[in-house]
Coordinates of all heavy atoms in Angstrom, one line a residue:
M192 N 0.8 -1.2 0.0 CA 0.0 0.0 0.0 C 0.9 1.2 0.0 O 1.8 1.3 0.7 CB -0.9 0.0 1.2 CG -1.8 1.2 1.3 SD -2.5 1.5 2.9 CE -3.9 0.5 2.9
E193 N 0.6 2.2 -0.8 CA 1.3 3.4 -0.9 C 1.0 4.3 0.2 O -0.1 4.3 0.7 CB 1.2 4.1 -2.2 CG -0.2 4.6 -2.5 CD -0.4 5.2 -3.9 OE1 -0.5 4.4 -4.8 OE2 -0.4 6.4 -4.0
K194 N 1.9 5.1 0.7 CA 1.7 6.1 1.8 C 1.1 7.4 1.2 O 1.5 7.8 0.1 CB 3.0 6.4 2.5 CG 3.5 5.1 3.2 CD 4.2 5.5 4.5 CE 4.6 4.2 5.1 NZ 4.8 4.4 6.5
H195 N 0.2 8.0 2.0 CA -0.4 9.2 1.6 C -0.1 10.3 2.6 O 0.0 10.0 3.8 CB -2.0 9.1 1.5 CG -2.4 8.0 0.6 ND1 -2.5 8.3 -0.8 CD2 -2.8 6.7 0.8 CE1 -2.9 7.2 -1.4 NE2 -3.1 6.2 -0.4
N196 N 0.2 11.5 2.1 CA 0.5 12.6 3.0 C -0.9 13.2 3.4 O -1.6 13.7 2.6 CB 1.3 13.7 2.2 CG 1.7 14.8 3.1 OD1 1.2 15.0 4.2 ND2 2.6 15.7 2.5
P197 N -1.2 13.2 4.7 CA -2.5 13.7 5.2 C -2.6 15.2 5.0 O -3.7 15.8 5.2 CB -2.5 13.3 6.6 CG -1.1 13.0 7.0 CD -0.4 12.6 5.8
R198 N -1.5 15.9 4.6 CA -1.6 17.4 4.5 C -1.9 17.8 3.0 O -2.0 19.0 2.7 CB -0.3 18.0 4.9 CG 0.0 17.8 6.4 CD 1.2 18.5 6.8 NE 1.4 18.2 8.2 CZ 2.6 18.1 8.7 NH1 3.7 18.5 8.0 NH2 2.8 17.8 10.0
T199 N -2.0 16.8 2.1 CA -2.4 17.1 0.8 C -3.8 16.5 0.5 O -4.1 15.4 1.0 CB -1.4 16.6 -0.3 OG1 -1.3 15.2 -0.2 CG2 -0.1 17.3 -0.1
H200 N -4.6 17.1 -0.4 CA -5.9 16.6 -0.7 C -5.9 16.3 -2.2 O -5.6 17.1 -3.0 CB -6.9 17.7 -0.4 CG -8.3 17.3 -0.8 ND1 -8.9 16.1 -0.5 CD2 -9.2 18.0 -1.6 CE1 -10.1 16.1 -1.1 NE2 -10.3 17.2 -1.8
S201 N -6.2 15.1 -2.5 CA -6.3 14.7 -3.9 C -7.5 13.7 -4.1 O -8.0 13.1 -3.2 CB -5.0 14.0 -4.4 OG -4.9 12.8 -3.7
I202 N -8.0 13.7 -5.3 CA -9.1 12.8 -5.7 C -8.7 12.0 -7.0 O -8.2 12.6 -7.9 CB -10.4 13.6 -6.0 CG1 -10.8 14.4 -4.8 CG2 -11.5 12.7 -6.5 CD1 -11.9 15.4 -5.1
A203 N -8.9 10.7 -6.9 CA -8.7 9.9 -8.1 C -10.0 9.1 -8.3 O -10.4 8.4 -7.4 CB -7.5 9.0 -7.9
M204 N -10.6 9.2 -9.5 CA -11.9 8.5 -9.7 C -11.7 7.6 -10.9 O -11.0 7.9 -11.9 CB -13.0 9.5 -10.1 CG -14.3 8.8 -10.3 SD -15.8 9.8 -10.5 CE -15.3 11.4 -10.8
E205 N -12.3 6.4 -10.8 CA -12.2 5.4 -11.8 C -13.6 5.0 -12.3 O -14.4 4.5 -11.5 CB -11.4 4.2 -11.3 CG -11.1 3.1 -12.3 CD -10.3 2.0 -11.8 OE1 -9.3 2.3 -11.0 OE2 -10.6 0.9 -12.1
N206 N -13.9 5.3 -13.6 CA -15.1 4.9 -14.2 C -16.4 5.3 -13.4 O -17.4 4.7 -13.5 CB -15.2 3.4 -14.5 CG -14.1 3.0 -15.4 OD1 -13.8 3.7 -16.4 ND2 -13.6 1.8 -15.2
R207 N -16.3 6.4 -12.7 CA -17.5 6.9 -11.9 C -18.0 5.8 -10.9 O -19.1 5.9 -10.5 CB -18.6 7.4 -12.8 CG -18.3 8.7 -13.5 CD -19.4 9.2 -14.3 NE -20.6 9.6 -13.5 CZ -21.7 10.0 -14.0 NH1 -21.9 10.0 -15.3 NH2 -22.7 10.3 -13.2
Q208 N -17.1 4.9 -10.6 CA -17.5 3.8 -9.7 C -16.7 3.7 -8.5 O -17.0 3.0 -7.5 CB -17.6 2.5 -10.5 CG -18.6 2.5 -11.5 CD -18.6 1.2 -12.3 OE1 -17.8 0.3 -12.2 NE2 -19.6 1.0 -13.2
Q209 N -15.5 4.3 -8.5 CA -14.6 4.2 -7.3 C -13.9 5.5 -7.2 O -13.4 6.1 -8.2 CB -13.7 3.1 -7.5 CG -12.8 2.9 -6.2 CD -12.0 1.6 -6.3 OE1 -12.3 0.7 -7.0 NE2 -11.0 1.5 -5.4
I210 N -13.8 6.0 -6.0 CA -13.0 7.3 -5.7 C -12.0 7.0 -4.6 O -12.4 6.4 -3.6 CB -14.0 8.4 -5.2 CG1 -15.0 8.8 -6.3 CG2 -13.2 9.6 -4.9 CD1 -16.0 9.8 -5.8
S211 N -10.8 7.5 -4.8 CA -9.8 7.4 -3.7 C -9.5 8.9 -3.3 O -9.2 9.7 -4.2 CB -8.6 6.7 -4.3 OG -7.6 6.7 -3.3
L212 N -9.7 9.2 -2.1 CA -9.5 10.5 -1.5 C -8.3 10.5 -0.5 O -8.2 9.6 0.3 CB -10.7 11.0 -0.8 CG -12.0 11.1 -1.6 CD1 -13.2 11.3 -0.6 CD2 -12.0 12.2 -2.5
T213 N -7.5 11.6 -0.6 CA -6.5 11.8 0.4 C -6.8 13.2 1.1 O -7.5 14.0 0.5 CB -5.1 11.8 -0.1 OG1 -4.9 12.8 -1.1 CG2 -4.8 10.4 -0.8
G214 N -6.2 13.4 2.2 CA -6.4 14.7 2.9 C -7.8 14.7 3.6 O -8.3 15.8 3.9
V215 N -8.3 13.5 4.0 CA -9.6 13.4 4.7 C -9.4 13.4 6.2 O -8.6 12.7 6.7 CB -10.3 12.2 4.3 CG1 -11.6 12.0 5.0 CG2 -10.6 12.2 2.8
A216 N -10.1 14.3 6.9 CA -10.0 14.4 8.3 C -11.1 13.7 9.1 O -10.9 13.1 10.1 CB -10.0 15.9 8.8
K217 N -12.3 13.6 8.4 CA -13.4 13.0 9.1 C -14.5 12.7 8.1 O -14.7 13.4 7.1 CB -13.9 14.1 10.1 CG -15.1 13.7 10.9 CD -15.4 14.9 11.8 CE -16.7 14.7 12.6 NZ -17.0 15.9 13.4
V218 N -15.2 11.6 8.4 CA -16.4 11.3 7.6 C -17.6 11.8 8.4 O -17.8 11.4 9.5 CB -16.6 9.8 7.4 CG1 -17.9 9.5 6.6 CG2 -15.4 9.2 6.5
Q219 N -18.3 12.9 7.9 CA -19.4 13.5 8.6 C -20.6 12.7 8.6 O -21.4 12.6 9.5 CB -19.6 14.9 8.1 CG -18.5 15.8 8.6 CD -19.0 17.3 8.7 OE1 -20.0 17.6 8.0 NE2 -18.3 18.1 9.4
S220 N -21.0 12.2 7.4 CA -22.2 11.3 7.3 C -22.0 10.5 6.0 O -21.3 10.8 5.1 CB -23.4 12.2 7.2 OG -23.4 13.0 6.0
F221 N -22.8 9.4 6.1 CA -22.8 8.5 4.9 C -24.1 7.7 4.9 O -24.6 7.3 5.9 CB -21.6 7.6 4.8 CG -21.5 6.6 5.9 CD1 -22.0 5.3 5.7 CD2 -20.9 6.9 7.1 CE1 -21.9 4.3 6.7 CE2 -20.8 5.9 8.1 CZ -21.3 4.7 7.9
D222 N -24.6 7.5 3.7 CA -25.7 6.6 3.4 C -25.6 6.2 1.9 O -24.7 6.7 1.2 CB -27.1 7.3 3.7 CG -27.4 8.5 2.9 OD1 -27.3 8.4 1.6 OD2 -27.8 9.5 3.5
P223 N -26.4 5.4 1.4 CA -26.2 4.9 0.0 C -26.4 6.0 -1.1 O -25.9 5.7 -2.2 CB -27.3 3.8 -0.1 CG -27.6 3.3 1.2 CD -27.4 4.5 2.1
K224 N -26.9 7.2 -0.7 CA -27.1 8.2 -1.7 C -26.2 9.4 -1.6 O -26.0 10.2 -2.5 CB -28.5 8.7 -1.7 CG -29.5 7.6 -2.2 CD -30.9 8.2 -2.4 CE -31.8 7.1 -2.9 NZ -32.4 7.4 -4.1
E225 N -25.5 9.5 -0.4 CA -24.6 10.7 -0.2 C -23.6 10.4 0.9 O -24.0 9.9 2.0 CB -25.4 11.9 0.2 CG -24.5 13.1 0.4 CD -25.2 14.4 0.7 OE1 -26.3 14.3 1.3 OE2 -24.7 15.5 0.4
I226 N -22.4 10.7 0.7 CA -21.3 10.6 1.7 C -20.7 12.0 1.8 O -20.4 12.6 0.8 CB -20.3 9.6 1.3 CG1 -20.9 8.2 1.2 CG2 -19.1 9.6 2.3 CD1 -20.0 7.1 0.7
V227 N -20.6 12.5 3.0 CA -20.0 13.8 3.3 C -18.7 13.6 4.1 O -18.8 13.1 5.2 CB -21.0 14.8 4.0 CG1 -20.3 16.1 4.3 CG2 -22.3 15.0 3.2
V228 N -17.6 14.1 3.5 CA -16.3 14.0 4.2 C -15.8 15.4 4.4 O -16.0 16.3 3.7 CB -15.3 13.1 3.4 CG1 -15.8 11.7 3.3 CG2 -15.1 13.7 2.1
E229 N -15.1 15.5 5.5 CA -14.4 16.8 5.8 C -12.9 16.6 5.4 O -12.2 15.7 5.9 CB -14.4 17.0 7.4 CG -13.8 18.3 7.8 CD -13.9 18.5 9.3 OE1 -14.9 18.2 9.9 OE2 -12.9 19.1 9.8
T230 N -12.5 17.4 4.5 CA -11.1 17.3 4.0 C -10.3 18.6 4.5 O -10.9 19.5 5.0 CB -11.1 17.3 2.4 OG1 -11.4 18.6 1.9 CG2 -12.0 16.3 1.9
I231 N -9.1 18.6 4.2 CA -8.3 19.7 4.6 C -8.6 20.9 3.7 O -8.2 22.1 4.1 CB -6.8 19.4 4.6 CG1 -6.3 19.0 3.2 CG2 -6.4 18.4 5.6 CD1 -4.8 18.9 3.0
Q232 N -9.4 20.7 2.7 CA -9.8 21.8 1.8 C -11.3 22.2 2.0 O -11.8 23.0 1.3 CB -9.6 21.4 0.3 CG -8.2 21.2 -0.1 CD -7.4 22.5 -0.1 OE1 -7.8 23.4 -0.7 NE2 -6.2 22.5 0.5
G233 N -11.9 21.6 3.0 CA -13.3 21.9 3.3 C -14.2 20.6 3.1 O -13.7 19.6 2.8
L234 N -15.5 20.8 3.3 CA -16.4 19.7 3.1 C -16.5 19.3 1.7 O -16.4 20.1 0.8 CB -17.8 20.1 3.6 CG -18.0 20.2 5.1 CD1 -19.4 20.6 5.4 CD2 -17.6 19.0 5.8
L235 N -16.7 18.0 1.5 CA -16.9 17.4 0.1 C -18.1 16.5 0.2 O -18.1 15.6 1.0 CB -15.7 16.7 -0.3 CG -15.8 15.9 -1.6 CD1 -16.1 16.8 -2.8 CD2 -14.5 15.1 -1.9
S236 N -19.1 16.8 -0.6 CA -20.3 15.9 -0.7 C -20.2 15.1 -1.9 O -20.1 15.6 -3.0 CB -21.5 16.8 -0.7 OG -22.7 16.1 -0.9
I237 N -20.3 13.8 -1.8 CA -20.3 12.9 -2.9 C -21.7 12.3 -3.0 O -22.2 11.6 -2.0 CB -19.3 11.8 -2.7 CG1 -17.9 12.4 -2.6 CG2 -19.3 10.8 -3.8 CD1 -16.8 11.6 -1.9
K238 N -22.4 12.5 -4.1 CA -23.7 12.0 -4.3 C -23.8 10.9 -5.4 O -23.0 11.0 -6.4 CB -24.7 13.1 -4.7 CG -24.8 14.2 -3.6 CD -25.7 15.3 -3.9 CE -25.7 16.3 -2.8 NZ -26.8 17.3 -2.9
G239 N -24.7 10.0 -5.2 CA -24.8 8.9 -6.2 C -25.8 7.8 -5.7 O -26.7 8.1 -5.0
E240 N -25.5 6.6 -6.2 CA -26.4 5.4 -5.9 C -25.5 4.3 -5.3 O -24.4 4.1 -5.8 CB -27.1 5.0 -7.1 CG -28.1 6.0 -7.7 CD -29.3 6.3 -6.8 OE1 -29.7 5.3 -6.1 OE2 -29.7 7.4 -6.8
K241 N -26.0 3.6 -4.4 CA -25.3 2.4 -3.8 C -23.9 2.8 -3.3 O -23.0 2.0 -3.5 CB -25.3 1.3 -4.8 CG -26.7 0.8 -5.1 CD -26.6 -0.4 -6.1 CE -28.0 -0.8 -6.5 NZ -28.0 -1.9 -7.5
L242 N -23.7 3.9 -2.7 CA -22.4 4.4 -2.3 C -22.0 3.6 -1.0 O -22.9 3.4 -0.1 CB -22.4 5.9 -2.0 CG -22.7 6.8 -3.2 CD1 -22.7 8.2 -2.8 CD2 -21.6 6.6 -4.3
G243 N -20.8 3.3 -0.9 CA -20.3 2.7 0.3 C -18.8 3.0 0.5 O -18.1 3.3 -0.4
I244 N -18.3 2.9 1.8 CA -16.9 3.1 2.1 C -16.2 1.8 2.0 O -16.5 0.9 2.8 CB -16.8 3.8 3.4 CG1 -17.4 5.2 3.4 CG2 -15.3 3.9 3.8 CD1 -17.5 5.9 4.7
K245 N -15.3 1.7 1.1 CA -14.6 0.5 0.9 C -13.4 0.4 1.8 O -13.0 -0.7 2.3 CB -14.1 0.4 -0.6 CG -13.3 -0.8 -1.0 CD -12.9 -0.8 -2.4 CE -12.1 -2.0 -2.8 NZ -11.6 -1.9 -4.2
H246 N -12.7 1.5 2.0 CA -11.5 1.6 2.9 C -11.5 2.9 3.6 O -11.7 3.9 3.0 CB -10.3 1.4 2.0 CG -9.0 1.5 2.8 ND1 -8.5 0.5 3.6 CD2 -8.1 2.6 2.9 CE1 -7.4 0.9 4.1 NE2 -7.1 2.2 3.8
L247 N -11.2 2.9 4.9 CA -11.1 4.1 5.7 C -9.9 4.1 6.6 O -9.8 3.2 7.4 CB -12.4 4.3 6.5 CG -12.5 5.5 7.5 CD1 -12.4 6.8 6.7 CD2 -13.7 5.4 8.3
D248 N -9.0 5.0 6.4 CA -7.8 5.2 7.3 C -7.7 6.7 7.6 O -7.0 7.4 6.9 CB -6.6 4.6 6.6 CG -5.4 4.6 7.5 OD1 -5.4 5.2 8.6 OD2 -4.3 4.0 7.1
L249 N -8.3 7.1 8.7 CA -8.3 8.6 9.0 C -6.9 9.0 9.5 O -6.5 10.1 9.3 CB -9.4 8.9 10.0 CG -10.8 8.8 9.5 CD1 -11.8 9.1 10.6 CD2 -11.0 9.7 8.3
K250 N -6.2 8.1 10.1 CA -4.8 8.4 10.5 C -3.9 8.8 9.3 O -3.2 9.8 9.4 CB -4.2 7.2 11.2 CG -2.8 7.5 11.9 CD -2.3 6.3 12.7 CE -1.0 6.7 13.3 NZ -0.5 5.6 14.1
A251 N -4.1 8.1 8.2 CA -3.4 8.5 7.0 C -4.1 9.5 6.1 O -3.6 10.0 5.2 CB -3.1 7.2 6.2
G252 N -5.4 9.8 6.5 CA -6.2 10.7 5.7 C -6.7 10.2 4.4 O -6.9 10.9 3.5
H253 N -6.9 8.8 4.4 CA -7.3 8.2 3.1 C -8.6 7.5 3.2 O -8.9 6.8 4.1 CB -6.2 7.2 2.8 CG -6.4 6.5 1.5 ND1 -6.6 5.1 1.4 CD2 -6.5 6.9 0.2 CE1 -6.7 4.7 0.1 NE2 -6.7 5.8 -0.6
V254 N -9.5 7.7 2.2 CA -10.8 7.0 2.1 C -11.0 6.5 0.7 O -10.6 7.2 -0.3 CB -11.9 8.0 2.5 CG1 -13.3 7.3 2.3 CG2 -11.8 8.5 3.9
E255 N -11.5 5.3 0.5 CA -11.9 4.8 -0.8 C -13.4 4.6 -0.8 O -14.0 4.0 0.2 CB -11.2 3.5 -1.1 CG -9.7 3.7 -1.4 CD -9.0 2.5 -1.8 OE1 -9.7 1.5 -2.1 OE2 -7.8 2.5 -1.7
I256 N -14.1 5.1 -1.8 CA -15.6 5.0 -1.9 C -15.9 4.3 -3.1 O -15.3 4.6 -4.2 CB -16.2 6.4 -1.8 CG1 -15.9 7.1 -0.5 CG2 -17.7 6.4 -2.1 CD1 -16.2 8.5 -0.4
E257 N -16.9 3.4 -3.1 CA -17.4 2.8 -4.3 C -18.9 2.9 -4.4 O -19.6 3.2 -3.5 CB -17.0 1.3 -4.3 CG -17.5 0.5 -3.2 CD -16.9 -0.9 -3.2 OE1 -16.1 -1.3 -4.0 OE2 -17.3 -1.7 -2.3
G258 N -19.4 2.7 -5.6 CA -20.8 2.9 -6.0 C -20.9 3.7 -7.3 O -19.8 3.9 -7.9
F259 N -22.1 4.1 -7.7 CA -22.2 5.0 -8.9 C -22.2 6.4 -8.5 O -23.1 6.9 -7.8 CB -23.4 4.6 -9.7 CG -23.5 5.3 -11.0 CD1 -22.7 4.9 -12.1 CD2 -24.3 6.5 -11.1 CE1 -22.8 5.6 -13.2 CE2 -24.3 7.2 -12.3 CZ -23.6 6.7 -13.4
I260 N -21.2 7.2 -8.9 CA -21.0 8.6 -8.5 C -21.7 9.5 -9.5 O -21.5 9.4 -10.7 CB -19.5 9.0 -8.4 CG1 -18.9 8.2 -7.2 CG2 -19.4 10.5 -8.2 CD1 -18.2 7.0 -7.5
D261 N -22.7 10.3 -9.0 CA -23.4 11.3 -9.8 C -22.7 12.7 -9.7 O -22.7 13.4 -10.7 CB -24.8 11.4 -9.4 CG -25.7 10.2 -9.7 OD1 -25.4 9.6 -10.8 OD2 -26.6 9.9 -9.0
A262 N -22.2 13.0 -8.5 CA -21.7 14.4 -8.3 C -20.8 14.5 -7.1 O -20.9 13.7 -6.2 CB -22.9 15.4 -8.1
M263 N -19.8 15.4 -7.2 CA -18.9 15.7 -6.1 C -19.0 17.2 -6.0 O -18.7 17.9 -6.9 CB -17.5 15.2 -6.4 CG -17.4 13.7 -6.5 SD -15.7 13.2 -6.6 CE -15.1 14.0 -8.0
I264 N -19.3 17.7 -4.8 CA -19.6 19.1 -4.6 C -18.8 19.6 -3.3 O -18.9 19.0 -2.2 CB -21.1 19.4 -4.4 CG1 -21.9 18.8 -5.6 CG2 -21.4 20.8 -4.1 CD1 -23.4 18.7 -5.3
Y265 N -18.1 20.7 -3.5 CA -17.5 21.4 -2.3 C -18.5 22.6 -2.1 O -18.5 23.5 -2.9 CB -16.2 22.0 -2.7 CG -15.1 20.9 -2.8 CD1 -14.8 20.4 -4.1 CD2 -14.4 20.5 -1.7 CE1 -13.8 19.5 -4.2 CE2 -13.4 19.5 -1.9 CZ -13.1 19.0 -3.1 OH -12.1 18.1 -3.3
P266 N -19.3 22.5 -1.0 CA -20.2 23.6 -0.7 C -19.4 24.9 -0.6 O -18.4 25.0 0.1 CB -20.9 23.2 0.6 CG -20.7 21.8 0.7 CD -19.4 21.5 0.0
K267 N -19.9 26.0 -1.2 CA -19.2 27.3 -1.1 C -19.1 27.8 0.3 O -18.1 28.4 0.7 CB -20.0 28.4 -1.9 CG -19.8 28.1 -3.4 CD -20.4 29.3 -4.2 CE -20.2 29.0 -5.7 NZ -20.7 30.1 -6.5
N268 N -20.1 27.7 1.1 CA -20.1 28.2 2.4 C -20.5 27.2 3.4 O -21.6 27.2 4.0 CB -21.0 29.5 2.6 CG -20.7 30.3 3.8 OD1 -19.9 29.9 4.6 ND2 -21.3 31.4 3.9
S269 N -19.6 26.2 3.6 CA -20.0 25.1 4.5 C -20.1 25.5 6.0 O -20.8 24.9 6.7 CB -18.9 23.9 4.4 OG -17.6 24.4 4.6
A270 N -19.5 26.6 6.4 CA -19.6 27.1 7.8 C -21.0 27.5 8.0 O -21.6 27.2 9.1 CB -18.6 28.2 8.1
S271 N -21.6 28.3 7.1 CA -23.0 28.7 7.3 C -24.0 27.6 7.2 O -25.0 27.6 7.9 CB -23.4 29.8 6.3 OG -23.4 29.2 5.0
R272 N -23.6 26.5 6.5 CA -24.5 25.3 6.4 C -24.5 24.6 7.7 O -25.6 24.2 8.2 CB -24.0 24.4 5.3 CG -24.8 23.2 5.1 CD -24.2 22.3 4.0 NE -24.9 21.0 4.0 CZ -24.5 20.0 3.2 NH1 -23.4 20.1 2.5 NH2 -25.1 18.9 3.3
Q273 N -23.3 24.5 8.4 CA -23.3 23.9 9.7 C -24.0 24.8 10.7 O -24.7 24.2 11.6 CB -21.8 23.8 10.1 CG -21.1 22.7 9.4 CD -19.6 22.6 9.7 OE1 -19.1 23.5 10.3 NE2 -19.0 21.6 9.3
N274 N -23.9 26.1 10.6 CA -24.7 27.0 11.6 C -26.2 26.8 11.4 O -26.9 26.9 12.4 CB -24.2 28.4 11.4 CG -22.8 28.7 11.9 OD1 -22.3 28.0 12.7 ND2 -22.2 29.7 11.3
L275 N -26.6 26.6 10.1 CA -28.0 26.4 9.9 C -28.5 25.2 10.6 O -29.6 25.2 11.3 CB -28.3 26.3 8.4 CG -29.7 25.9 8.0 CD1 -30.7 27.1 8.4 CD2 -29.8 25.7 6.5
W276 N -27.8 24.1 10.5 CA -28.2 22.9 11.2 C -28.2 23.1 12.7 O -29.0 22.5 13.4 CB -27.3 21.7 10.8 CG -27.6 21.2 9.5 CD1 -26.8 21.3 8.4 CD2 -28.7 20.5 9.0 NE1 -27.4 20.8 7.3 CE2 -28.6 20.3 7.7 CE3 -29.9 20.1 9.7 CZ2 -29.6 19.6 6.9 CZ3 -30.9 19.5 8.9 CH2 -30.7 19.2 7.6
K277 N -27.2 23.8 13.3 CA -27.2 24.1 14.7 C -28.4 24.9 15.1 O -29.0 24.6 16.2 CB -25.9 24.9 15.1 CG -24.7 24.0 15.1 CD -23.5 24.8 15.4 CE -22.2 24.0 15.3 NZ -21.0 24.7 15.6
K278 N -28.9 25.9 14.3 CA -30.1 26.6 14.6 C -31.3 25.8 14.6 O -32.2 25.9 15.4 CB -30.2 27.8 13.6 CG -29.2 28.9 13.8 CD -29.4 30.0 12.8 CE -28.2 31.0 12.9 NZ -28.3 32.0 11.8
I279 N -31.4 24.9 13.6 CA -32.6 24.0 13.5 C -32.7 23.0 14.7 O -33.8 22.8 15.2 CB -32.5 23.2 12.2 CG1 -32.7 24.1 11.0 CG2 -33.6 22.1 12.2 CD1 -32.5 23.5 9.7
F280 N -31.6 22.5 15.1 CA -31.6 21.5 16.2 C -31.1 22.0 17.6 O -30.5 21.3 18.3 CB -30.7 20.3 15.8 CG -31.3 19.5 14.6 CD1 -30.6 19.6 13.4 CD2 -32.4 18.8 14.7 CE1 -31.2 18.9 12.3 CE2 -32.9 18.1 13.7 CZ -32.3 18.2 12.4
R281 N -31.5 23.2 17.9 CA -31.2 23.7 19.2 C -32.0 23.0 20.3 O -33.0 22.6 20.3 CB -31.6 25.2 19.3 CG -30.5 26.1 18.8 CD -30.8 27.5 19.1 NE -30.3 28.3 18.1 CZ -30.3 29.6 18.1 NH1 -30.7 30.2 19.2 NH2 -29.8 30.3 17.1

């Protein structure tokens, strides 16, 4: 297994069916339609069908996701999105 630098963030996708991410600090949520990870570059939302986490090593900052990927989105203002959820669930 190759070593990953947890201080760099990279994405490698193969045939829209597998993603390898580096620079991941935390998996915030996951279900078969959306996985949200916190990277060193901000939140990343991965949307699709039958999504699952194939490999997870937060110490190395590495995650592998499989399934059919429809979209990968970095929300513009993820801090305000988190504040919205805090206001809703007070």
Side-chain angles (χ1 to χ4, degrees):
M192 180 198 272
E193 66 184 76
K194 296 215 176 202
H195 300 281
N196 183 350
R198 295 187 188 150
T199 60
H200 173 54
S201 67
I202 299 172
M204 183 172 16
E205 187 174 317
N206 295 325
R207 290 182 65 184
Q208 295 177 354
Q209 185 169 343
I210 298 175
S211 179
L212 301 167
T213 63
V215 176
K217 179 179 174 182
V218 176
Q219 286 206 339
S220 66
F221 66 93
D222 65 50
K224 293 189 178 237
E225 181 179 30
I226 297 176
V227 179
V228 295
E229 183 180 322
T230 74
I231 60 171
Q232 297 289 311
L234 289 180
L235 172 60
S236 173
I237 300 161
K238 297 182 180 189
E240 298 291 327
K241 298 181 183 177
L242 298 176
I244 296 175
K245 181 179 175 182
H246 176 79
L247 175 64
D248 183 352
L249 292 178
K250 186 175 181 181
H253 181 240
V254 176
E255 290 182 17
I256 296 170
E257 60 185 0
F259 185 78
I260 293 96
D261 288 327
M263 294 188 304
I264 303 162
Y265 290 95
K267 286 186 179 182
N268 196 354
S269 53
S271 67
R272 181 178 172 191
Q273 289 174 347
N274 290 336
L275 174 66
W276 286 110
K277 287 180 184 178
K278 289 177 185 176
I279 292 172
F280 293 109
R281 276 191 213 191

